[in-house]
Amino acid sequence: MQRNFIVTGGSSGIGLAVIKKLSDDPSNRVISFSRSRKKIERAIRDWDLKHKNVEFIEGDVSNDADCKKLAGYLKKNDYKVHGLVNAAGVLTRGGIEMIDYEQWKFNLDVNLNGPYLLTRHLLPFLKEANGASIVNISSVASLRPGTSIAYSVSKAGLDMLTEFLAGDLAPYKIRVNSVNPGLVRTPIHLDNQIFDNEKEYEEMLIKSTERYPLKRIGEASEVASLICYLLEDESSWITGSIFKIDGGVLVYNDLLPPKNSK
Ligand SMILES: NC(=O)c1ccc[n+]([C@@H]2O[C@H](COP(=O)([O-])OP(=O)(O)OC[C@H]3O[C@@H](n4cnc5c(N)ncnc54)[C@H](OP(=O)(O)O)[C@@H]3O)[C@@H](O)[C@H]2O)c1
């Protein structure tokens, strides 16, 4: 049976890793939804050409008209939607004194309003699949204050959206779950100018590994494996759950240092 999956932010990082996994099954049709042509071309250039079952559609998840257009495309082609992965995300660094209102709105628009808009517009197609799954990509920053006030708040809102939708959409057999990664090496930090240069970024990655009990940061493919599990019927009794995937970084609480740590 042909199944259709929509992955926002499929041109890069975690979204791209999901697309790679899903497209390994030739009976899947995978549709990526993201903004920049340049990033799409970067993804296609690095692409294993045997994967022909992927379409890259340009659009902004925070733009109502773009989301409507995607729904129109699905309707025109008579596509049901078996899975929606809300992976598109942005990150602007800083606390209340650094983040201005424009940046605040930008983070909330993409990271929180985007998943809301897409879920709303794609609902008719998700219902038709009779057992669809939505996976929202949140962050451990939703559970503890992190690099950015706007990002943390947007992701905390996304966690609640996940839980709310799980109850709301259960009558339609639509499951909704959240995957909350710790630090994963993807272009997000450099593409969003979180660091001035690559050297600074690499130094941060090395420093960060120390905070992780498993002494390493994550790979996009590891996060994609959990996302793909939640898309499949193997996870058919899981809904409304928030899954940390973080090398154990939230195990320790700074207020309570572990007795045996060196
Ligand atoms: N990497 C990490 O350490 C980490 C940790 C925790 C959570 N996450 C979350 O994981 C998700 C994926 O992040 P990533 O690390 O894979 O980042 P990434 O490599 O920068 O990929 C982000 C993707 O989102 C797309 N995107 C951004 N704004 C968009 C918009 N308005 N409309 C449509 N697409 C948009 C980007 O393409 P365009 O810019 O061309 O649109 C790109 O394809 C994000 O939600 C992020 O918050 C990442």
Side-chain angles (χ1 to χ4, degrees):
M1 185 189 75
Q2 168 105 50
R3 294 183 306 163
N4 302 315
F5 295 92
I6 313 289
V7 181
T8 71
S11 63
S12 180
I14 293 168
L16 180 58
V18 172
I19 286 205
K20 284 180 183 163
K21 277 196 198 298
L22 288 174
S23 64
D24 277 342
D25 180 345
S27 67
N28 291 338
R29 182 187 287 113
V30 192
I31 297 173
S32 165
F33 189 65
S34 66
R35 296 164 307 172
S36 119
R37 189 73 225 161
K38 212 167 139 193
K39 286 189 200 171
I40 293 172
E41 274 157 15
R42 182 175 75 186
I44 292 171
R45 208 178 40 242
D46 301 344
W47 203 245
D48 178 347
L49 286 176
K50 76 174 191 269
H51 297 301
K52 298 274 190 209
N53 48 344
V54 183
E55 296 170 50
F56 286 91
I57 293 182
E58 283 167 57
D60 182 339
V61 295
S62 65
N63 182 307
D64 191 38
D66 284 2
C67 296
K68 251 190 213 153
K69 221 189 263 175
L70 176 65
Y73 175 79
L74 299 172
K75 190 169 181 195
K76 195 175 118 208
N77 288 289
D78 204 17
Y79 288 166
K80 297 171 184 169
V81 174
H82 299 84
L84 166 63
V85 179
N86 284 307
V90 292
L91 166 62
T92 310
R93 188 181 200 168
I96 187 81
E97 291 183 288
M98 217 169 132
I99 297 253
D100 64 25
Y101 187 44
E102 280 308 307
Q103 293 166 326
W104 170 266
K105 276 199 301 189
F106 176 57
N107 282 258
L108 268 88
D109 273 348
V110 178
N111 299 347
L112 178 58
N113 294 340
Y116 156 79
L117 279 175
L118 268 182
T119 304
R120 220 174 125 73
H121 285 299
L122 301 196
L123 206 48
F125 313 97
L126 288 156
K127 283 180 185 173
E128 272 182 36
N130 195 28
S133 168
I134 300 174
V135 184
N136 292 325
I137 313 311
S138 179
S139 167
V140 290
S142 75
L143 307 166
R144 302 268 170 85
T147 321
S148 157
I149 186 171
Y151 184 79
S152 277
V153 171
S154 69
K155 294 297 190 181
L158 184 60
D159 289 353
M160 181 46 72
L161 184 71
T162 295
E163 292 185 330
F164 202 103
L165 287 175
D168 231 7
L169 302 183
Y172 306 111
K173 294 194 194 154
I174 300 172
R175 298 182 295 111
V176 191
N177 291 291
S178 174
V179 166
N180 296 38
L183 185 60
V184 179
R185 181 195 277 275
T186 72
I188 196 169
H189 301 96
L190 288 172
D191 281 358
N192 287 275
Q193 286 92 44
I194 299 296
F195 295 95
D196 290 337
N197 52 57
E198 220 155 307
K199 187 169 169 271
E200 209 182 286
Y201 173 62
E202 291 298 333
E203 281 167 8
M204 179 281 288
L205 292 183
I206 291 166
K207 232 168 151 185
S208 293
T209 58
E210 281 312 304
R211 293 191 293 115
Y212 283 75
L214 289 179
K215 297 293 175 230
R216 69 175 178 87
I217 61 163
E219 298 293 332
S221 62
E222 294 174 300
V223 181
S225 295
L226 176 57
I227 296 166
C228 288
Y229 168 69
L230 292 169
L231 290 173
E232 292 296 336
D233 283 347
E234 280 170 288
S235 60
S236 58
W237 206 48
I238 303 178
T239 196
S241 290
I242 310 280
F243 291 92
K244 285 185 291 163
I245 171 162
D246 68 349
V249 74
L250 291 193
V251 164
Y252 295 136
N253 181 332
D254 285 342
L255 298 172
L256 266 180
K259 277 189 189 139
N260 297 320
S261 70
K262 288 181 185 159

